[in-house]
Amino acid sequence: MIRTTRAFVFATAILIGGGAGLRGAPRRITNDTQGAEARSQGTPDIARMDEIVQSYVSGKQFMGSVLVARGNDILFSKGYGFANLEWNIPNSPSTKFRLGSLTKQFTAASILLLEERGKLNVNDPVKHYMPDAPAAWDKITIFNVLTHTSGIPSFTSFPDYVSLEPFSATPTQLVARFRDKPLDFQPGEKWSYSNSGYVLLGYLIEKVSGESYEKFLQENIFTPLGMKDSGYDSSSAIIARRASGYAPSQDGPVNVGFIHMSIPFSAGALYSTTEDLLRWEQGLFGGKLLSPASLQKMTAPFKQDYAFGLEVRMVNGHQVIEHNGGIEGFNTHLAYYPGEKLVVMVLGNLSGAAPDDIAVKLGAVAHGEKVVLISERKAAAVDPKLFDGYVGSYEVIPSLVLTVTRNGDHLMMQATGAGKVEMFPDDDRDYFLKVVDAQITFVTDGQGQATELILHQNGLDLHGKRVEGLALPKEHKEISVDPKLFDGYVGSYELVPSFAVTVTREGDYLFAQATGQSKFEIFPESEKDYFYKVVDAQITFVTDGRGRATELILHQGGRDQHGKRVE
């Protein structure tokens, strides 16, 4: 379902292990719009927009539909790849995609509609409408839940989440999964993205309105705004022009695992088209749905740029109101720039970060800004001795440290929990990555020693001060082993029900593929211990006396997860 972290991505995104489900906490991926070398804002370069999207299509990173509009004028609308690969049915502006966490803004708007009708008040405690709520929730207001400041832990991060994802559940049963869990923090004290919170809001909508969440949205949002191709997705209903969801792999796209659509509920269960989402944006921001006061509430950020189901921030001098989403096989991004009445949306049915990246770039082109694709960047020649002054650790935010190391004449970077990637020089102090669109500037003292770095990504400039005394990530060194060993490791290993790691051999190379994810090579550091280069994760094989693995142990994020071989 919805991803539970809100993070910048520095390398190939991969989650190995449990918790693969509801994705879509605002994931700020990339923006490569250095400078503002403007074209005429009145005549955006449509050919460049198509070229940007095609670069992701040809790189096998994107299938889906995109739309860019300014006011009532659609500037760019096109489908790419296939809605169904088995039947070679192409994507189009009328293809229906699962939205993931774009659902949250519809849930938030529903709460505000109920407030306008005197049915509730967002400043009221949740317990006012749910008298049997636990004592720990006494101070939690609906406002806290809307802004992810309630402290209620996100049920999609629970260890048993993946095992329960395929099975139907009622809203009451969903709430029961998290209602008695300890709060992560006191209400209003911090911000933490919580799918539980938005499930709780759907539960409250049903309780206060006396209607199902699905019926409330249909009668109060979809029908009034003429959104005939939108609705609550179903695991059983036949829905015309609905796209199938896929995940990338080294062998091409594969079908993703099953999620029962009762599970994402009001946090991520809706579907729509690019054409219908334009009607939504025009209706929401055009005053057709909410009063001006309610819209102001919905778009006023509280903590971490988050408002009600929307993120509000500045990108290259432009205010943008946006959110993204992800659910098995689908990733989405919807952005509105109020100053220009500009709408940018990207709906994809191939899992990955491309929709976020594409949306930011299309927005930049629409604003007349220069966009440089990774393939267009060329590394400059610099003296590798400079690298010695850059080696060290830099704390961007408390949970994210960038560690810079030197490997001969190559400068490397490793973000917390990610694999090590190479940086390439634009000049002596400015570097870029090739695995993702992000750039680094080193700020140095008079001796060439970096005191901080600046991460340029997704339209933001994030400063990371050098920090001393941090333990460097463990170096994993590849060794040579007899490839015949691999035959004993080939097979599938179940970490939790519905989530397995499948190990395959291709010649002298060993690969591992987690459910719904891409296949990646794993490298030996001993005969039984292997490591990924794309993410900070390792695998240990436990073997019998004949060298046949009976289980594997996944080491990731400080956890050791055991997966028994399944036949």
Side-chain angles (χ1 to χ4, degrees), residues 53-173:
V53 182
Q54 288 287 4
S55 72
Y56 291 89
V57 175
S58 61
K60 300 180 179 179
Q61 297 173 279
F62 179 71
M63 298 193 302
S65 297
V66 305
L67 185 148
V68 180
R70 182 177 287 125
N72 293 321
D73 298 324
I74 295 177
L75 306 177
F76 182 52
S77 179
K78 188 174 179 180
Y80 296 84
F82 295 93
N84 186 285
L85 287 168
E86 285 87 348
W87 288 92
N88 289 330
I89 298 171
N91 279 315
S92 74
S94 61
T95 301
K96 298 170 184 174
F97 297 84
R98 289 181 173 176
L99 299 182
S101 282
L102 295 189
T103 299
K104 289 180 170 66
Q105 57 198 278
F106 293 90
T107 299
S110 297
I111 290 288
L112 289 168
L113 284 173
L114 289 170
E115 183 177 57
E116 288 182 0
R117 296 166 188 175
K119 300 285 189 178
L120 57 75
N121 188 300
V122 297
N123 294 313
D124 284 341
V126 167
K127 208 159 189 176
H128 185 79
Y129 309 95
M130 189 179 171
D132 63 338
W137 290 16
D138 285 356
K139 296 181 180 179
I140 295 176
T141 64
I142 294 175
F143 177 88
N144 292 142
V145 182
L146 285 163
T147 57
H148 294 301
T149 59
S150 69
I152 298 173
S154 188
F155 76 107
T156 53
S157 65
F158 295 170
D160 64 350
Y161 171 72
V162 174
S163 64
L164 297 173
E165 198 176 37
F167 305 107
S168 65
T170 66
T172 299
Q173 290 170 333

Side-chain angles (χ1 to χ4, degrees), residues 7-11 28-32 34 313 315 360 400 433 436-440 454-462:
F8 296 87
V9 177
F10 301 92
R28 307 166 187 241
I29 306 297
T30 63
N31 183 15
D32 216 3
Q34 299 304 303
R313 60 195 183 90
V315 173
V360 172
L400 178 62
L433 306 183
V436 69
D437 283 348
Q439 301 79 47
I440 296 289
I454 306 170
L455 168 67
H456 311 286
Q457 191 176 20
N458 202 26
L460 300 178
D461 298 324
L462 295 179

Side-chain angles (χ1 to χ4, degrees), residues 380-421:
V382 300
D383 186 349
K385 293 179 181 178
L386 291 168
F387 300 166
D388 293 333
Y390 305 152
V391 169
S393 296
Y394 303 83
E395 187 176 62
V396 178
I397 55 177
S399 60
L400 178 62
V401 173
L402 304 184
T403 300
V404 177
T405 56
R406 177 180 176 179
N407 184 5
D409 290 346
H410 303 275
L411 194 62
M412 313 296 292
M413 175 192 289
Q414 185 171 10
T416 302
K420 186 181 293 187
V421 296

